[in-house]
């Protein structure tokens, strides 16, 4: 059996880099392949809840994350119709006390850069960028990938294939037999702008804001050690175009928030440029494994970002899979991948369902929205925080 061969990971995003780092630290060799010439994570901010940050801190990345990320004091949830505060939930020290790990907001580029810098320190990891894959063969003897890298033919041999290639995964569609990504009927618009002066007037600098409105919601928080503000506006929409990095017309997003309270409109008016993309999900019946191939991250459970858990689930997947692969790649590896898949599917299905539920609740209008607001006020910050324990309190079994 090909126990002596490296694990081959397709995709050097958050899932692929975290897995590579965990495997290397456990003594396993890894080849990571990405089609991008350069790992330049576009998009904007990311919220990292304690279930994910605890894994990254355990990998020794804590000080790098704290250098560029922020630990917001609280999240304030407001009604997009009246502008009234619905509830303010403590984060900051409350998260560390409750879960032993922080809630961090960070630029995606800073997270990916931190992971990449750590991976580059690992002699067991070989990173190949700008690879166009032409064929993938997986059988009981291992995996062979062929393609082109910088106009040269390349061939990679490994023991196990990991598809960490995002929601439009090639490994899912061509090897595992899953279908194409499915549009959710929502579009996310993202932008950043310089924080200076703005938040002093309007909002607390170190607070995350969430505004809930009819057919739309808005999230804002500071990134880049507080120098920039990140905005995410999710709207019900019919636009569905492939792309992570498509520019959006500011007038269009401003029109979608017309009629919202002034502070929200002021926020939406701040950026000069926006990026937008169609929010897609991985098909819900996607098989996680096939023989020696396994999917992780968005490739298998790409979900709407309405509990801010896509990257967190990718990081959890990576950590658990590394434990499975580090205990040997021999004859029984397919069975052990099956056990991995079963456990992770149960958890990620539940998280994805929570994200879809939030998508409905967040975008209510009229009387149902008033009932939602009243319900949240009655439940109160403490019990709402308790409701997140099953997500934020998760830890890998082996510590
Ligand atoms: C608006 C928005 C807000 C979000 N906010 C949050 C949040 O606050 N918190 C959170 O946890 N999550 C959030 N997410 C989700 C998060 O961004 C994703 O879940 C996460 O990036 C998934 O990581 P991944 O590594 O699985 O996939 P990706 O980050 O998509 O990485 C896939 C990698 O595979 C490479 N690749 C693709 N195809 C190939 C191929 N054929 N060959 C080689 N390489 C290939 C790509 O170049 C890329 O580098 C948000 C998502 C959106 C859209």
């Amino acid at each position: 059996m090909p126990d002596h061969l490296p694990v081959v990971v397709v995709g050097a995003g958050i899932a692929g880099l975290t897995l590579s780092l965990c495997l290397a630290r456990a003594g396993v060799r890894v080849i990571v392949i990405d089609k991008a010439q350069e790992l330049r994570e576009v998009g904007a901010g990311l919220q990292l809840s304690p279930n994910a940050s605890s894994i990254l801190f355990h990998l020794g990345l804590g000080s790098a994350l704290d250098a560029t990320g922020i630990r917001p004091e609280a999240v304030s949830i407001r009604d997009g119709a009246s502008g009234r505060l619905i509830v303010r939930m403590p984060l900051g020290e409350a998260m560390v006390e409750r879960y032993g790990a922080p809630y961090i907001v960070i630029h995606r580029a800073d997270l990916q850069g931190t992971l990449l810098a750590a991976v580059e320190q690992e002699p067991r990891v070989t990173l190949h960028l700008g690879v166009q894959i032409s064929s993938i063969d997986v059988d009981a003897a291992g995996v062979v990938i062929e393609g082109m890298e910088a106009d040269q033919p390349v061939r990679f041999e490994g023991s196990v294939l990991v598809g960490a290639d995002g929601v439009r995964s090639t490994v899912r569609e061509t090897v595992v037999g899953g279908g194409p990504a499915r549009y959710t009927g929502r579009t996310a618009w993202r932008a950043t702008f310089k924080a200076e002066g703005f938040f002093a007037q309007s909002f607390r600098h170190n607070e995350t804001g969430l505004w809930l409105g009819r057919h739309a919601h808005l999230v804002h928080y500071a990134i880049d050690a507080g120098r920039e503000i990140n905005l995410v506006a999710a709207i019900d929409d019919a636009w569905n175009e492939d792309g992570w990095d498509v520019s959006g017309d500011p007038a269009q997003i401003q029109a979608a928030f017309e009629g919202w309270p002034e502070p929200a409109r002021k926020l939406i008016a701040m950026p000069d440029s926006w990026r937008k993309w169609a929010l897609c999900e991985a098909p819900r019946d996607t098989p996680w494994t096939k023989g020696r191939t396994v999917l992780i991250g968005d490739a298998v459970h790409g979900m709407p970002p309405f509990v801010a858990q896509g990257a967190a689930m990718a990081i959890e997947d990576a950590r658990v899979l590394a434990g499975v692969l580090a205990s040997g790649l021999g004859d029984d590896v397919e069975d052990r991948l099956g056990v991995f898949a079963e456990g992770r599917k149960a958890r990620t299905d539940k998280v994805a369902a929570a994200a879809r539920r939030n998508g409905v609740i967040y975008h209510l209008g009229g009387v149902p929205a008033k009932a939602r607001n009243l319900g949240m006020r009655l439940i109160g910050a403490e019990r709402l925080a308790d409701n997140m324990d099953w997500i934020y309190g998760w830890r890998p079994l082996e510590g």
Side-chain angles (χ1 to χ4, degrees):
M1 280 300 121
D3 217 356
H4 59 287
L5 292 172
V7 169
V8 178
V9 181
V10 176
I14 291 163
L17 288 176
T18 308
L19 175 67
S20 302
L21 188 57
C22 292
L23 283 173
R25 297 275 175 88
V28 179
R29 285 184 305 127
V30 189
I31 295 173
V32 202
I33 302 166
D34 205 291
K35 65 179 179 184
Q37 292 286 352
E38 197 190 340
L39 291 184
R40 193 181 52 91
E41 179 74 86
V42 258
L46 207 60
Q47 307 181 59
L48 277 180
S49 50
N51 48 318
S53 73
S54 62
I55 294 171
L56 301 177
F57 272 58
H58 196 72
L59 287 165
L61 308 181
S63 48
L65 296 179
D66 273 330
T68 49
I70 286 215
R71 300 182 178 196
E73 267 175 25
V75 53
S76 285
I77 307 179
R78 292 187 174 82
D79 177 35
S82 66
R84 281 185 60 202
L85 182 71
I86 303 172
V87 67
R88 183 175 186 271
M89 296 170 63
L91 298 173
E93 272 312 299
M95 283 280 145
V96 179
E97 272 166 31
R98 195 170 182 130
Y99 301 113
Y103 198 102
I104 293 181
V105 289
I106 189 166
H107 199 292
R108 299 171 65 91
D110 292 330
L111 173 60
Q112 197 170 19
T114 298
L115 285 166
L116 181 61
V119 161
E120 283 174 341
Q121 297 297 312
E122 295 293 337
R124 291 190 182 93
V125 183
T126 320
L127 177 65
H128 293 267
L129 297 180
V131 175
Q132 288 307 318
I133 294 174
S134 55
S135 71
I136 304 177
D137 288 307
V138 192
D139 59 24
V143 48
V144 176
I145 292 187
E146 291 184 324
M148 298 295 286
E149 180 178 354
D151 295 330
Q152 297 295 319
V154 279
R155 178 185 160 90
F156 305 104
E157 282 184 43
S159 51
V160 166
L161 171 64
V162 182
D165 50 348
V167 75
R168 294 183 173 84
S169 165
T170 301
V171 177
R172 179 182 73 230
E173 290 190 41
T174 63
V175 182
V176 172
R182 197 186 66 81
Y183 178 52
T184 60
R186 300 227 164 92
T187 305
W189 290 61
R190 290 175 126 178
T192 57
F193 64 88
K194 293 266 169 265
E196 212 172 64
F198 185 81
F199 265 61
Q201 304 157 18
S202 314
F203 301 102
R204 283 160 173 270
H205 194 160
N206 52 355
E207 230 179 63
T208 294
L210 169 62
W211 297 71
L212 311 179
R214 191 193 288 274
H215 299 310
H217 74 275
L218 174 66
V219 183
H220 58 89
Y221 48 83
I223 51 170
D224 192 18
R227 284 182 286 268
E228 301 232 350
I229 304 300
N230 174 70
L231 286 181
V232 183
I235 57 173
D236 297 346
D237 200 357
W239 176 75
N240 179 13
E241 197 178 296
D242 191 357
W244 168 260
D245 193 9
V246 179
S247 77
D249 177 2
Q252 199 186 333
I253 191 68
Q254 284 168 20
F257 282 82
E258 211 177 59
W260 281 54
E262 198 201 342
R265 280 189 285 112
K266 257 174 89 179
L267 276 167
I268 295 282
M270 284 302 288
D272 298 326
S273 63
W274 286 84
R275 300 261 171 234
K276 64 166 188 172
W277 58 97
L279 292 174
C280 289
E281 290 183 342
R284 293 185 202 174
D285 56 356
T286 298
W288 279 62
T289 65
K290 184 177 175 193
R292 284 179 167 259
T293 302
V294 58
L295 299 176
I296 59 170
D298 275 11
V300 65
H301 52 60
M303 62 182 74
F306 307 144
V307 274
Q309 284 296 313
M313 290 301 111
I315 291 167
E316 287 186 7
D317 290 345
R319 173 64 182 81
V320 179
L321 181 60
V324 172
L325 296 178
S327 59
L329 305 169
D331 281 345
D332 67 338
V333 72
E334 295 183 21
D335 296 337
R336 285 185 294 116
L337 289 179
V339 173
F340 158 81
E342 220 174 285
R344 290 304 302 159
K345 181 173 165 41
R347 173 150 170 91
T348 57
D349 277 357
K350 201 172 158 196
V351 172
R356 283 184 214 108
R357 231 174 10 252
N358 275 358
V360 175
I361 294 168
Y362 284 7
H363 288 200
L364 293 173
V367 174
K370 288 198 170 93
R372 171 201 64 208
N373 298 349
L374 181 64
M376 286 172 87
R377 283 194 189 102
L378 288 175
I379 294 170
E382 203 156 312
R383 271 168 58 212
L384 285 171
D386 291 347
N387 290 346
M388 300 308 283
D389 275 350
W390 68 277
I391 298 185
Y392 299 167
W394 179 95
R395 293 294 177 274
L397 277 181
E398 64 281 32

